[in-house]
Amino acid sequence: MTPFTSPSDPNATLRDLIYQEGDKVGVYSPENYPDAEIPIRQQRRMQRQSDYDDPRLAMTLTEVDGVLRWNDGYGYRRGTGLRRSRMGLGIEGEIIAPINFEKLEPSKIGDYLKSLDQKLTPQCNFDVPELGMRELVDGTWQKPGAKPNADGRILLFIHGTFSKNEMFLQEFAKTAEGQELLKKIQSKKNYNQVLGFDHATLALSPVLNAMDLARIFANCKADVDVICHSRGGLVTRWWFEQHDSRAGGESRAVLVGSPLAGTSMAAAPRLRAAVNLLTNVARVLEKAGGLASTTFPIFTVITGLLRVIASAGTIAAKTPVFDAAVALVPGLSAQALVRNNEELNRLNRDCTAVPGYFAVRSDFKPADPGWEFWKYFVHIGDRVKDWAADLVFDGANDLVVDTASMTVLAKPPRPVSIQKVHDFGQNGKVHHTVYFRQPETATFIEQCLQLK
């Protein structure tokens, strides 16, 4: 792959990362777009017919007042000078990275999401979900297809969206408290078996993941504790509360940063702004050297989502088009913080058989100058009108999930309380992707699960 710019360009690293990760999901730089995918005869027709439905789509990342935003259309670089758009679309701001990709037909989006899931979570298996179960032995995840013990005590890890269970081990290993926790959970004094469930998070909804767990644990009599992150909390709740097929055994779960009532980031009206927010976050992490140490493949996610969104309409489209785009991604639509999310409405209507639930949450409010863009995506009362379309969160959040959503088990008039909550409060340190590298998180989990 040819780098798009010289290393002296301040955005060169960011741009090259976008192209490196985008290449994995069919998103390319203009110089590397595989024109051969479009037959010559078809290209000639496109030249003769201005109204021909060109399967090639283009978007451009630009920077305005220090904030990155994705735009429809094709801005490109010629020599050392910047040009706005070869199609005369008047793309605003400094051009950072133009991208090209082929439009996905509706019938192909499902297969594309599956391929994206398998890139993000290599151990997930659509045909045989049981192969997503692995056992942790001597600090290493073993071969796929582990079967739960029939009885005793089992600890199960359930990851979140775009993630995999290696994340837990890597993050806990960063602190002495996390390392101690890993030792204790692998001690036979606490658990007879430690498992991790790798599963698809885009092409499937949490309900279907929970049904897979029900089949895997059918007739098991073991006590099961769960440590889960983000969307994994919804998988856990659907399993424990609605699809538990075990023949007995108690249930407990530590829900870390989980969108129990949904997240604004997955809501259709805010999807465009959510992608812009993730892109700005990626740049901050890249400049701080954080991308190399994170297990969250952020540019693969961004470019993959952009391709799905653009295939459904345009990044500047009105809400109905974004409704369609979100609906095409079951794993996201199931997490949308909107009134008509019937999956969450049903889950939170009643919570009669409540397992032992514990929760960890944070209100991330960065003060570092590098996070200045943050104010454009969060409601602060006197936001600039020109940026109103970029609002993602109305209030406190951890960068990905609304803070208030992390402790909702049932809506009024029958609310149910979580047994114990560790609240990091308002801070500029703990956001959604770094919960498990915090000493306080490891200590809280150890206390809640009463590890020896």
Side-chain angles (χ1 to χ4, degrees):
M1 188 190 70
T2 305
F4 193 62
T5 58
S6 67
S8 60
D9 189 317
N11 289 302
T13 302
L14 174 68
R15 185 178 298 105
D16 288 342
L17 282 170
I18 290 173
Y19 293 150
Q20 288 167 15
E21 294 300 309
D23 188 68
K24 300 175 184 178
V25 294
V27 175
Y28 309 97
S29 71
E31 294 181 350
N32 292 289
Y33 187 80
D35 291 321
E37 289 185 3
I38 303 176
I40 296 297
R41 183 178 299 177
Q42 205 167 309
Q43 292 184 43
R44 289 172 179 169
R45 285 185 61 194
M46 290 161 54
Q47 292 173 356
R48 294 194 303 267
Q49 301 176 23
S50 60
D51 60 345
Y52 184 81
D53 187 16
D54 189 344
R56 298 173 299 181
L57 299 176
M59 301 184 73
T60 301
L61 180 65
T62 64
E63 182 175 7
V64 179
D65 296 332
V67 181
L68 299 175
R69 304 173 80 187
W70 288 98
N71 302 266
D72 291 311
Y74 183 25
Y76 68 103
R77 188 177 291 261
R78 178 181 297 161
T80 58
L82 291 173
R83 299 292 183 269
R84 291 216 158 190
S85 169
R86 90 177 163 186
M87 300 302 291
L89 296 177
I91 292 174
E92 181 185 9
E94 179 186 355
I95 293 168
I96 305 299
I99 59 174
N100 298 91
F101 43 87
E102 186 171 342
K103 179 179 181 179
L104 294 166
E105 296 301 324
S107 60
K108 296 182 179 179
I109 289 180
D111 288 338
Y112 180 74
L113 291 175
K114 286 184 177 180
S115 68
L116 190 54
D117 268 323
Q118 288 169 333
K119 287 181 174 67
L120 298 169
T121 313
Q123 297 297 333
C124 76
N125 193 299
F126 286 92
D127 297 324
V128 188
E130 293 83 355
L131 292 179
M133 194 68 69
R134 291 182 291 164
E135 185 170 1
L136 184 66
V137 178
D138 296 329
T140 303
W141 292 115
Q142 303 300 301
K143 63 182 182 179
K147 295 183 179 180
N149 291 345
D151 50 30
R153 292 192 69 197
I154 296 175
L155 176 68
L156 177 64
F157 285 101
I158 304 180
H159 61 75
T161 308
F162 317 130
S163 191
K164 52 189 176 183
N165 285 310
E166 279 78 3
M167 177 274 296
F168 293 104
L169 305 188
Q170 293 172 17
E171 293 293 288
F172 280 135
K174 294 181 184 297
T175 66
E177 291 81 358
Q179 294 169 21
E180 183 64 22
L181 176 64
L182 288 176
K183 289 180 183 178
K184 289 187 176 182
I185 65 174
Q186 294 176 84
S187 168
K188 296 301 180 182
K189 291 188 292 186
N190 292 306
Y191 295 105
N192 305 102
Q193 188 179 39
V194 180
L195 299 171
F197 180 48
D198 285 291
H199 55 285
T201 63
L202 292 174
L204 301 180
S205 73
V207 178
L208 296 182
N209 300 138
M211 292 173 67
D212 289 335
L213 280 175
R215 283 190 288 270
I216 294 170
F217 280 83
N219 302 316
C220 172
K221 297 180 181 180
D223 295 332
V224 177
D225 290 343
V226 173
I227 298 174
C228 56
H229 183 223
S230 194
R231 176 189 184 278
L234 292 178
V235 176
T236 301
R237 286 196 59 197
W238 277 113
W239 176 37
F240 278 166
E241 297 173 37
Q242 303 295 333
H243 297 286
D244 192 354
S245 61
R246 289 177 298 155
E250 296 182 355
S251 306
R252 296 184 299 183
V254 183
L255 314 168
V256 181
S258 294
L260 305 182
T263 170
S264 297
M265 186 166 275
R270 303 183 181 191
L271 187 56
R272 167 189 171 177
V275 174
N276 286 336
L277 172 58
L278 285 176
T279 305
N280 282 276
V281 170
R283 180 165 67 171
V284 170
L285 295 178
E286 179 267 316
K287 288 183 176 179
L291 283 181
S293 63
T294 183
T295 56
F296 183 58
I298 194 165
F299 284 118
T300 302
V301 172
I302 290 168
T303 52
L305 287 178
L306 284 173
R307 190 175 180 191
V308 173
I309 292 170
S311 296
T314 68
I315 194 70
K318 300 299 182 181
T319 297
V321 172
F322 278 107
D323 280 335
V326 172
L328 290 170
V329 188
L332 290 184
S333 61
Q335 300 179 72
L337 183 56
V338 291
R339 291 183 179 180
N340 63 345
N341 185 334
E342 294 306 328
E343 282 193 28
L344 288 182
N345 287 344
R346 282 163 172 73
L347 178 64
N348 293 321
R349 183 172 297 164
D350 292 293
C351 190
T352 52
V354 185
Y357 284 142
F358 309 91
V360 179
R361 67 183 182 185
S362 179
D363 173 8
F364 181 61
K365 190 173 182 180
D368 189 290
W371 290 82
E372 182 69 16
F373 66 84
W374 184 249
K375 67 183 181 183
Y376 294 111
F377 297 94
V378 179
H379 179 73
I380 57 175
D382 57 347
R383 302 177 71 251
V384 181
K385 291 182 179 180
D386 290 344
W387 292 88
D390 283 306
L391 177 68
V392 177
F393 297 106
D394 288 319
N397 63 87
D398 71 352
L399 184 65
V400 174
V401 178
D402 305 76
T403 305
S405 175
M406 300 179 202
T407 51
V408 173
L409 291 180
K411 295 180 179 180
R414 295 183 293 276
V416 177
S417 298
I418 285 179
Q419 287 190 16
K420 191 175 182 181
V421 177
H422 181 79
D423 191 346
F424 282 98
Q426 188 177 101
N427 69 93
K429 174 185 176 184
V430 183
H431 56 72
H432 195 75
T433 69
V434 298
Y435 279 116
F436 295 99
R437 66 177 66 175
Q438 308 305 319
E440 298 89 341
T441 301
T443 300
F444 180 73
I445 291 173
E446 182 178 332
Q447 293 172 349
C448 293
L449 300 182
Q450 301 172 316
L451 302 183
K452 303 173 183 177

